[in-house]
Amino acid sequence: MRIISKIKTPGALKSSTSNLLGRFRHDDDGAMSYVAVTGALIMMVFGGIGIDMIHAELKRNKVQNTLDRAVLAAANMDNTMDPEFVVQEYFRAMNMSDALSGVSVDQSLNYKRVTADGNATMPSNFMSLLGVDTLQASGSATAEHGLTKIEISLVLDVSGSMGGNKIVQLRDAAKGFVDLMLPADGSDMVSISVIPYNATVNLGDTVSQYFTLDDVHDYSSCATFETNDFTSTAVDPSTELGRLGHFDPYNSSTSGGEIAKPWCATGQTSAVIAHSSDADVLKAHIDTLNAGGNTAIDLGMKWGAALLDPAARPAVQALSVAGFVAPEHSSRPAAYADSETLKFVVVMTDGQNTTQYDLKPEFKFGMSEVWVDTRGTNTLNDDRFAFRVQDNAGDDSDVYYWLGNSGQGYAMKYQNRPESSAISNGVEPYQMTNAELYSRFSIAAVASEFYYPAYVDGFLTYDDYANAYYGYQATVNGSQADTNLSTVCDSARDNGVVVYAIGVEAPQAGLDAMQDCASSVAHYFDVSGDDLNDTFSSIARSLQMLRLTQ
């Protein structure tokens, strides 16, 4: 046996190596290049890092979602359990007790704030190749539930169609709303204005003192507005407003005492209350609301928006000094830009806008043609009245019709003096203003008791009598009132006011107006009277802010 050894020369060795590399280069069956191997390894590492990051993000989402749900439940004012315990229970249910880092609670009678932090540690798989052995999944959440700086205007329809059971349902619903927003343990964060409306809005003896109405009379306190006034929510307390005439357009009272049903209510009858936080005062006032009159939703909404506009602040401050508004609310209405204050209007109707009226100018302003003989007493019912039917300028021969002498013959009925045959108790009759005349006689009574006899006896024309009989005139029709309402609703919403609008068994025109006024479809309600209480309660609960802040 021989061992044969072949030794290649350097030239032969070089040639053999070249051939081998050439074959490796051209034959890729089952083989990879160094570059391909290196690239594959890099791709595997980065793919693994991606998987680690996905796992970490899923874990972070789980931590954050659990935190969100936990603090929302813990902050709910209706939840009487310990807030920290509630959060812990949420994490325990998710098998994540070790991920809860801490819980803090800030709570008062009407406010609860819960903050929770979470952190979960998980091992890395591929990132450890880069020296990162663990990954963190952290989160934080805060929830608040409370009645924080809320201003509300309740704009309530008390027109004639609200009579019967509807007004009872409205009273109950509105009082329930007050109870929810102003709980028995108190709330210094919420103020509520009540704006009842029918054919107009009665500012009442209290609120009217802090706005400026013209001095045409002082029998009632209803303001008038021009069309352009509805483009703004503001009513400046120092700017003079027109005052609606004080008159009774429908009844035929002839007592000469006081008109039976004035177009603008007197005193505190269905009057406005501004920024009250006294639940008892609000509910007692709501209990006095009665139905009557036409429907002017635009005027109700105008005042509802005005009492949320910062222009009204001087009036609210003065009301606070007088004891009608709580001191902590004296700086309301807050500026629209105040991010800590929310403003809401809740407006409801069971009808639609109707025609609005006022006295004709010739019967609203200035002096009347009527003199009154008070007989020297303070009793209205014994007064006697003389109506000047013929004014002879430059002499004392004017002719007066004496209302109380109609059955005593022509000579006694008409006299040349504005007083009776003898001055009563030394007090002479005086000429009444139109405002005073129409505060004591209805429009129909003025026409029938004064103008009609003078027309029959030839002292006045039929046109004189007819003009007095129709002594009031339309100032705004229903269509224009709808436009005014839409305009002021737009203005309120543009200023950040949230408008809830309720149609209660209303006709289609009223429902359309409410839907147009509401902030959104979700803020509009078409309900029956039986559902009114639930509707107001639902709105109240939605105003009790439960919000995720972080």
Side-chain angles (χ1 to χ4, degrees):
M1 180 175 181
R2 292 186 302 170
I3 297 175
I4 300 173
S5 177
K6 293 184 179 180
I7 301 176
K8 296 182 179 181
T9 64
L13 189 61
K14 179 178 179 181
S15 176
S16 176
T17 301
S18 297
N19 292 336
L20 178 63
L21 291 175
R23 288 195 305 272
F24 182 83
R25 186 170 55 248
H26 293 291
D27 185 0
D28 57 3
D29 291 342
M32 293 181 65
S33 69
Y34 292 117
V35 175
V37 170
T38 302
L41 291 174
I42 293 174
M43 290 176 64
M44 291 174 63
V45 170
F46 279 100
I49 292 173
I51 292 172
D52 280 348
M53 294 179 68
I54 290 172
H55 287 166
E57 180 62 18
L58 292 173
K59 189 71 171 181
R60 189 198 68 79
N61 284 336
K62 186 176 181 180
V63 170
Q64 187 63 55
N65 289 338
T66 305
L67 285 168
D68 289 348
R69 292 194 299 271
V71 296
L72 283 170
N76 193 326
M77 295 292 289
D78 293 330
N79 191 339
T80 59
M81 290 190 292
D82 177 66
E84 185 171 358
F85 174 77
V86 172
V87 175
Q88 291 170 346
E89 284 299 296
Y90 265 80
F91 273 80
R92 187 175 295 114
M94 297 298 292
N95 295 318
M96 296 174 59
S97 296
D98 57 344
L100 181 60
S101 302
V103 180
S104 62
V105 179
D106 179 14
Q107 186 172 5
S108 64
L109 288 175
N110 60 356
Y111 173 78
K112 191 190 295 185
R113 178 186 177 95
V114 179
T115 299
D117 299 307
N119 183 71
T121 301
M122 55 183 294
S124 65
N125 294 311
F126 292 91
M127 293 185 69
S128 58
L129 298 174
L130 302 178
V132 180
D133 296 325
T134 60
L135 297 173
Q136 304 295 318
S138 301
S140 179
T142 299
E144 294 178 355
H145 193 187
L147 310 178
T148 304
K149 293 187 179 180
I150 294 179
E151 299 172 6
I152 304 169
S153 286
L154 284 181
V155 181
L156 308 178
D157 186 345
V158 293
S159 62
S161 58
M162 284 293 296
N165 194 42
K166 278 187 185 178
I167 195 67
V168 176
Q169 293 169 329
L170 174 60
R171 292 191 205 117
D172 291 342
K175 289 187 296 181
F177 181 92
V178 170
D179 280 334
L180 287 171
M181 298 309 302
L182 299 172
D185 55 8
S187 173
D188 59 359
M189 309 301 282
V190 179
S191 63
I192 298 176
S193 300
V194 177
I195 302 93
Y197 72 91
N198 48 26
T200 185
V201 173
N202 176 23
L203 290 180
D205 291 341
T206 299
V207 173
S208 65
Q209 296 179 52
Y210 305 99
F211 287 87
T212 306
L213 295 172
D214 68 32
D215 60 359
V216 64
H217 66 78
D218 60 1
Y219 301 109
S220 57
S221 303
C222 294
T224 61
F225 294 99
E226 301 296 328
T227 299
N228 288 340
D229 294 329
F230 291 89
T231 61
S232 170
T233 56
V235 174
D236 186 342
S238 65
T239 299
E240 185 176 86
L241 300 172
R243 191 189 296 257
L244 189 70
H246 189 66
F247 64 101
D248 180 348
Y250 297 136
N251 295 284
S252 57
S253 170
T254 60
S255 68
E258 294 180 354
I259 53 178
K261 295 182 179 180
W263 196 246
C264 175
T266 57
Q268 288 298 103
T269 301
S270 297
V272 170
I273 291 183
H275 287 277
S276 176
S277 53
D278 189 323
D280 291 336
V281 168
L282 288 165
K283 290 189 293 183
H285 185 61
I286 290 169
D287 263 334
T288 68
L289 299 180
N290 284 305
N294 282 16
T295 305
I297 315 171
D298 57 328
L299 294 177
M301 185 63 192
K302 172 63 180 177
W303 277 111
L307 290 175
L308 299 178
D309 191 288
R313 192 176 303 153
V316 177
Q317 289 172 336
L319 283 162
S320 179
V321 171
F324 297 108
V325 172
E328 57 267 27
H329 295 157
S330 62
S331 61
R332 298 190 174 192
Y336 285 126
D338 184 354
S339 60
E340 297 183 355
T341 301
L342 300 172
K343 299 173 184 278
F344 301 93
V345 171
V346 181
V347 56
M348 56 75 56
T349 187
D350 79 323
Q352 64 187 70
N353 279 314
T354 55
T355 302
Q356 299 166 27
Y357 298 100
D358 199 356
L359 282 169
K360 292 178 178 177
E362 60 265 37
F363 300 127
K364 181 176 180 178
F365 304 101
M367 305 303 295
S368 75
E369 292 296 325
V370 175
W371 274 252
V372 58
D373 174 12
T374 66
R375 303 192 181 192
T377 72
N378 293 323
T379 302
L380 297 180
N381 292 334
D382 66 353
D383 290 352
R384 300 181 64 198
F385 302 91
F387 177 50
R388 183 166 61 184
V389 297
Q390 186 172 307
D391 182 5
N392 297 312
D395 58 41
D396 295 328
S397 59
D398 297 347
V399 179
Y400 297 85
Y401 162 67
W402 274 93
L403 182 60
N405 291 356
S406 59
Q408 300 183 29
Y410 191 85
M412 289 294 294
K413 184 164 58 172
Y414 291 98
Q415 299 180 15
N416 290 332
R417 292 173 60 82
E419 64 263 17
S420 56
S421 57
I423 296 176
S424 302
N425 298 324
V427 178
E428 293 189 12
Y430 65 88
Q431 187 176 9
M432 303 173 75
T433 64
N434 273 314
E436 183 181 6
L437 175 64
Y438 284 97
S439 75
R440 298 185 62 176
F441 290 91
S442 69
I443 290 176
V446 169
S448 62
E449 299 299 319
F450 295 109
Y451 282 81
Y452 184 74
Y455 156 64
V456 171
D457 290 335
F459 288 97
L460 298 177
T461 68
Y462 177 80
D463 288 342
D464 293 329
Y465 162 65
N467 189 50
Y469 187 84
Y470 299 102
Y472 62 99
Q473 63 183 6
T475 55
V476 177
N477 61 29
S479 176
Q480 182 60 56
D482 285 340
T483 300
N484 293 343
L485 174 62
S486 180
T487 300
V488 74
C489 290
D490 283 344
S491 183
R493 294 194 305 267
D494 288 345
N495 286 323
V497 176
V498 178
V499 181
Y500 290 86
I502 308 168
V504 186
E505 301 173 15
Q508 190 59 49
L511 296 177
D512 291 344
M514 289 295 92
Q515 189 166 9
D516 175 72
C517 187
S519 288
S520 72
V521 174
H523 294 84
Y524 161 69
F525 302 85
D526 174 9
V527 301
S528 68
D530 292 336
D531 296 327
L532 195 55
N533 193 43
D534 288 342
T535 303
F536 269 76
S537 296
S538 174
I539 294 171
R541 289 192 175 91
S542 74
L543 302 190
Q544 295 172 339
M545 294 294 293
L546 179 59
R547 56 195 174 100
L548 191 66
T549 60
Q550 291 186 13

